[in-house]
Structure formats: structure tokens, C-alpha cells
Amino acid sequence: MNQTSLRPLQDFTHLLKTCISTRDLFTGKTLHTIYIKHLIPHSTYLSNHFILLYSKCRRISAAHTTFNTIPHPNIFTFNTIISAYAKESQPHIAHQLFDQIPQPDIVSYNTLIAAYADRGETRPAIDLFVEMRELGFDMDGFTFSAAVTAACKDVKLICQLHKLAISGGFISYSSVNNSLISYYSKNGLLGEAECVFEHMGGNKDEVTWNSMIVAYSQHREGLKALSLYWEMVCLDLTVDIFTLASVLTAFTCLEDLRGGIQFHCQLIKKGFNQNTHVGSGLIDLYSKCGGGMLDCEKVFAEIVEPDLVLWNTMVSGYSQNDDLSEEALCCFKQMQREGYRPDDCTFVCVISASSNLSSPNQGKQIHCLALKSDIPSNRISVNNALITMYSKCGNLKDARKVFDKMPEHNTVTFNSLITGYAQHGFPMEALHLFDRMLETNVTPTSITFISILSACAHTGKVKEGREHFRLMTDKFGIEPEEEHFSCMIDLLGRAGQLEEAERLIESMPFNPGTVGWGALLGSCRTHGNLELAVKAAEQCLLLDPSNAAPYVILAHMYAKANKWEEVATVRKRMRNNGVKKNPGCSWIEINKKIHVFVAEDSSHPMLNEINNYWENLLKKMKQVGYVPDVVRDDENARHSEKLAVVFGLLSTKDGEPLYVVKNLRICNDCHNAIKIISGLTRREITVRDARRFHCFKDGRCSCGDYW
């Protein structure tokens, strides 16, 4: 071939490579058309580059079509198409192509192992790794890095790979050490991650430092993370956007909003504030450290091209605030309109947000979307979120269905369902599930025992509660924290063992806090122990003078004892301290519309119909023995949950179940009233208050009047 004929081919090749590097699909397709028409001599070399072009531009179908047209594909051809499917999270198709390679090389194996690792599919990745060893392949750092990533949560396997890397001399690769640091940290082994970091000596790269900073942040060792960052700066190491994002995580775990704001100012001066990684860190900082979602929205608005991680961080920020659950769903929908496909993190956050809504239908819709979506990894976290969501929406049946269909369970799975049973008043189911947890070698955590003790407390299982309180320390070495002691105080108090509950408070190794004293105060109200109630209320007010609950409970108890002067004194003290009672507020969904009622509501358009219906219903209730538990009948009728229930009865067909959500604990009178209403109207009425669920049916409540 002469010099004149070579020139167009060289120009064509150069232009094609430029299209690949710039992802210029339009020009690339034009070149492909010229190539197909045989205006340029065909070669496997050029065809491989067209596969690479379509792969870079996320046109996997066109890449595969081009692959099929190559009469004699070489190893680079196969590796390019396998890599294309790996990037699209389709390792199984990649594996089919891999099996067609006459003699796969190390790149072929590494690409496929990494593809399985990225999807969290440990077994096929490790099988390929073992196959490489058996065939005598010379492995490299990428092989071991991908294998460690594939091991993911299997600590034993990670340790074996670590030993193998040391014996094989692969520990000199920074990439291998970086993976070990990351996955030791993710599995709670911070000490091992630190050892790997220290033993690297001068072989550390920027990724190593970032990995260790992230590890410290994950374990809430913010000061160590910041110290490491300043060490990087002093050593004049390159600080990139990933380092800066990790530093923001450190400020977040320290809950150091002021320090985070100062660092934000530095980022603006350096021009990093418009980067998506840094933006995610800033949104996380402001949403978790009290900066408010308004600041998060400002940060988000500055990002020209937000990615999926940034959208997820915004959805997460909204979902952490119960009052912004609607905003979380709006953000989720906007993300989809922008063309982003939700991943496991998105679903966990938006499912969490939907669990705070009074509409069970919203959560079901998201569940359907999750089933239709391909979630390559961490499906277990999505299912755990679904169990919590269904439990919070009063639908334990569907929560159990999700649990039973899961191929594997972890600690969070069991904790989620045990908590659901505890909140709904099913202690035996919670205890049976705990036994199953132990049988399947899933280790219980501190949270597990809080749920178990809570289940016992709400159903009077004093013996079982004491046994599990001892078991927690004796068998699992979990030291009781404030919440465990509060559950035990609640357990003893509800059972009427107030003196023992008081002794437990006095023997605690730390102050019980408002939760412990509040539990005792609630029990005093239940059993009418006014003297101890005064002591508990005073302790609550010493710890939190702005808390309205102790004032309200004391005033109510004094009123029941006809001590009106004391009632006046409590209310005056409350006014003088500027404390206001949170107004009761209840929600009910009717025909896909949320109706909100507040105590003594006079704004609802159907108020007259509600009042008339209540008056007729009240007469029937009194005929079957209902006696109001409050001084004034009219005050009693104005409680928000009663208004919501009556509105629900007016607005739905006979026999249709009602679901009401309340922001405060349901009062005794409303509990008795709704119990009777359920019998008179033959309706199933579920009320989710601030503490638990009450399912009223046939004149009875699921709590057995023990709450």
C-alpha cells in the first residue's frame, strides 16, 4: 500500500479515536456508515474501535451488532464487548461472550470478575478467581482488587484473600491494599483497615488516603479523618474532589456544622462547590447537622449536571425529616422525569419517606416500581426498608410476606419485623422471631433487644422481659444503654411494679434521662400514683424544661383527684415558663386525598356533619356503657383522632377499614371511645399514634388495653 492510500486511513482512524475520547456519537455513526459502505478497508482493528465507540456512548445494542459483523474477532474484540456489558451491569451476557473466547487472557478474567463484583455476586466472581489460579494465570493487582470487592461482606473470605495476596507478593499493589482498607472498614474492622494502611509505608497513593479518611468517617472517627486530611495537605499530596467529599463526611459524623460551613467557604474559593461529589457531601452535611433543607436546595441548584448520587442525597435529606416526606417523594419523581433510574439507595430513602405518610398506597406503588426495577446489588436493604414501611403503615401481613419471600436475612431484617410486631402488640410473634434469629446464626444487636423489651413492656410480659434483659449481657456481651433501661422501667411500671421501677432508676449507672423518667411518669398516670408522678415529672422538667408532657400529665392527674388548685398551679407554671402543649393532629386518607384534623378543629368544611354524626354516635355509645374520661364532654369530642374517625365513617362505605395517624400518644378516653365505635359500626379502625399501633375491631383493641 503506497503513501497516498495510507493517508485517508490514518485520518479516518485518528478521527474515530477522537470520537471515542469525546463520546461524539453523531460523527462516529457517520464514520461507521462510510466504513460499512467499504469506502475504507475493513479490519478487525477498526471494527474493535467501533465497538468501543458504542460502548462509551452507552449504545450496547449497536456495539453487539458491530461485534456480530466481525468475521474473525480477536481477544481485544471479545474483551471490548465483555467490558461493554460489564459497564451496563449485565455480567451474565458478558459471561456468555467470555465462554466463546478460544483463549481468554488476564484482561478477560479481570473484566468479568469485576463485573460480578460490582453487582455483589460473590460466588461466580470467586469461581472465576479460583479458575484463574488452577489454570496458572499470572494474576495482577486488578485481579485481587476485584476479588476483595466481590467478597464484600464475607469477612472470612476477605481475610483469606489478604493472606493469599501477602504470600503471592500482591500486597505491593496499592489497588489491593485500597480494596482491603475499604472492605475491612465496611465490615466493621477498622483496626484491620488501620493495619493495612500503616504497613503500606510510602506505597500509599491518593486513593489510599481517601479510603482511610472514608473508613474513619464511617466509624464516626471524624477527628482522625480530619487529622489524616491535614497530614495529606502537609505532605503536599494531591487533594482531589474525592478527598474533599470524604472530609465533608468527617464534619458530618462529628456533627460539626460550623466547621463544615467554614470548609464549604474554602471549597467555593477553590471552585469545587459545583462538583457532584462535593455537592453530595455538602447536602449530607446540611441535612444531618441542622443546616436545613433550604441550604441543601441551594447547594443542589449550583450543580450544573447532577448525577444519581446527588439526587439520592437530596431524597435522603428530605426523608430524614418526617415533616418533609412529601418533598422527598416529589424529589424522587423529579429525578425520574430527568431520566435517572433509581438504584437501591434511592429506593431505601424513598421507601423510608413513604413510611412516614398516612397514605399506605404510596408505599405500595414504590414497592411495585422496585419489583420492576433491576437492582443489581443490596436488594436486601430495599426489602428491609419495605418491611419497616409496611409495619409503620399498619400492614403487618404484607411486611411478613416480604420477609418470607427474601432469599436471605440479616440483622436489620429481623430487627425490622421484630419492631413491627412489638409496635402492633404481638409479643409472642416477636419472641418467636427472635428465637428464629438465633437458630439461623444471625447475631442480635442492641436494637434487637430494645424491640424485644418494648414488646414485653407493651404486653405485660415481665418474666420474659427480665430474661432477655439478662440474656443481652450474659450471652451477647451487650451493655444496657439508656433505651434498654427505659424499656425495663416501662415494663415494670406498666405492670404496676412502680417501686421496683424506681429502684431500677436509682441503681442505673447513668441518669435515666427524660425517656426513663417519662416512662415512669406514664406508668404513674396509669396506676394513679400521684406522689411518685410528681417526683418523676419534676425530674423530667429538670432535664427538659420545655417539655409540655409532664405538665399535661400532672394537670390531668390532679384533675382526676379533684385537686383543682394544683391544676391551676401547674397550668400557671407552664404559662410562666412559656411552654405550650403540642396540638393533637390526626390524618386520614379518603379517595387518595389526605384530610388533616387538629384538636378542637373548626375549619373543616364538613364540621357540621361531623358534629351531628358524633352526637348521634355518642348517644349509642353511652347506651352500651361509654363514660367520658375527661372533665368536659365537648372538650373530649374535639380530640383530633375522634374527628378523623368520624369523618372516615361519614366518607366511606359500611365495613371499609379506616387508617388514622396521630402525632401524639392516643389518650385513654379516645382509646375507649374508638374501641366502642369499632363494635357499634362493625369497622376495623387502625390508629397509629406516636408510640405504637392500635387496631380496633369488634369492640376490642390489639393492645389488650395494656398500653
Side-chain angles (χ1 to χ4, degrees), residues 498-539:
L498 298 176
E499 291 182 2
E500 188 176 347
E502 188 180 9
R503 285 198 299 272
L504 180 61
I505 287 177
E506 291 169 352
S507 65
M508 283 172 61
F510 42 77
N511 192 301
T514 55
V515 179
W517 285 111
L520 183 62
L521 177 58
S523 299
C524 291
R525 176 181 60 182
T526 302
H527 297 285
N529 190 326
L530 187 55
E531 182 182 349
L532 188 54
V534 172
K535 178 181 177 179
E538 289 298 334
Q539 290 295 328

Side-chain angles (χ1 to χ4, degrees), residues 268-322:
I268 293 171
K269 289 178 182 178
K270 293 177 181 178
F272 287 115
N273 58 304
Q274 294 184 343
N275 178 270
T276 53
H277 295 285
V278 173
S280 296
L282 286 168
I283 291 169
D284 198 45
L285 170 77
Y286 286 120
S287 63
K288 290 180 178 176
C289 299
M293 286 308 295
L294 187 60
D295 287 327
C296 295
E297 289 164 3
K298 289 177 182 176
V299 171
F300 186 84
E302 289 180 349
I303 311 297
V304 180
E305 294 182 3
D307 59 9
L308 180 60
V309 175
L310 193 72
W311 280 102
N312 285 349
T313 313
M314 278 298 289
V315 174
S316 174
Y318 285 123
S319 68
Q320 288 167 41
N321 189 325
D322 290 355

Side-chain angles (χ1 to χ4, degrees), residues 92 95 112-113 116 121-129:
H92 302 289
H95 205 146
L112 193 54
I113 291 171
Y116 279 120
E121 298 188 35
T122 304
R123 192 69 268 154
I126 298 302
D127 286 345
L128 285 164
F129 178 81

Side-chain angles (χ1 to χ4, degrees), residues 597-608 611 638 643:
F597 296 88
V598 295
E600 302 190 30
D601 197 349
S602 58
S603 62
H604 199 276
M606 287 183 62
L607 188 63
N608 289 332
N611 285 337
R638 290 285 189 184
L643 295 172

Side-chain angles (χ1 to χ4, degrees), residues 393-397 424 426 588 590 644-645 648-649 652-660 674-688 693-702:
C393 290
N395 192 343
L396 266 182
K397 186 178 178 182
H424 283 78
F426 296 107
I588 186 170
I590 303 292
V645 167
L649 294 171
T652 56
K653 297 177 183 178
D654 288 345
E656 190 174 327
L658 302 179
Y659 179 75
V660 175
I674 297 173
K675 191 167 59 171
I676 292 171
I677 290 169
S678 71
L680 290 172
T681 61
R682 296 185 180 179
R683 297 280 195 116
E684 184 174 328
I685 305 170
T686 300
V687 178
R688 169 185 162 188
F693 286 84
H694 297 270
C695 185
F696 301 93
K697 188 178 181 181
D698 298 327
R700 292 189 295 271
C701 179
S702 59

Side-chain angles (χ1 to χ4, degrees), residues 436-507:
R436 179 176 167 182
M437 186 180 187
L438 300 184
E439 289 167 5
T440 52
N441 295 318
V442 177
T443 306
T445 64
S446 172
I447 295 170
T448 314
F449 284 100
I450 290 172
S451 299
I452 288 293
L453 293 174
S454 177
C456 295
H458 282 95
T459 48
K461 303 283 183 184
V462 179
K463 180 184 175 184
E464 290 85 349
R466 284 187 173 127
E467 286 175 357
H468 284 86
F469 189 71
R470 285 194 295 268
L471 185 72
M472 178 174 66
T473 307
D474 296 346
K475 184 173 181 179
F476 297 100
I478 299 172
E479 288 300 319
E481 298 172 7
E482 183 180 331
E483 288 188 80
H484 300 103
F485 278 107
S486 296
C487 287
M488 284 302 295
I489 294 164
D490 197 26
L491 171 70
L492 297 169
R494 287 173 186 271
Q497 300 177 26
L498 298 176
E499 291 182 2
E500 188 176 347
E502 188 180 9
R503 285 198 299 272
L504 180 61
I505 287 177
E506 291 169 352
S507 65

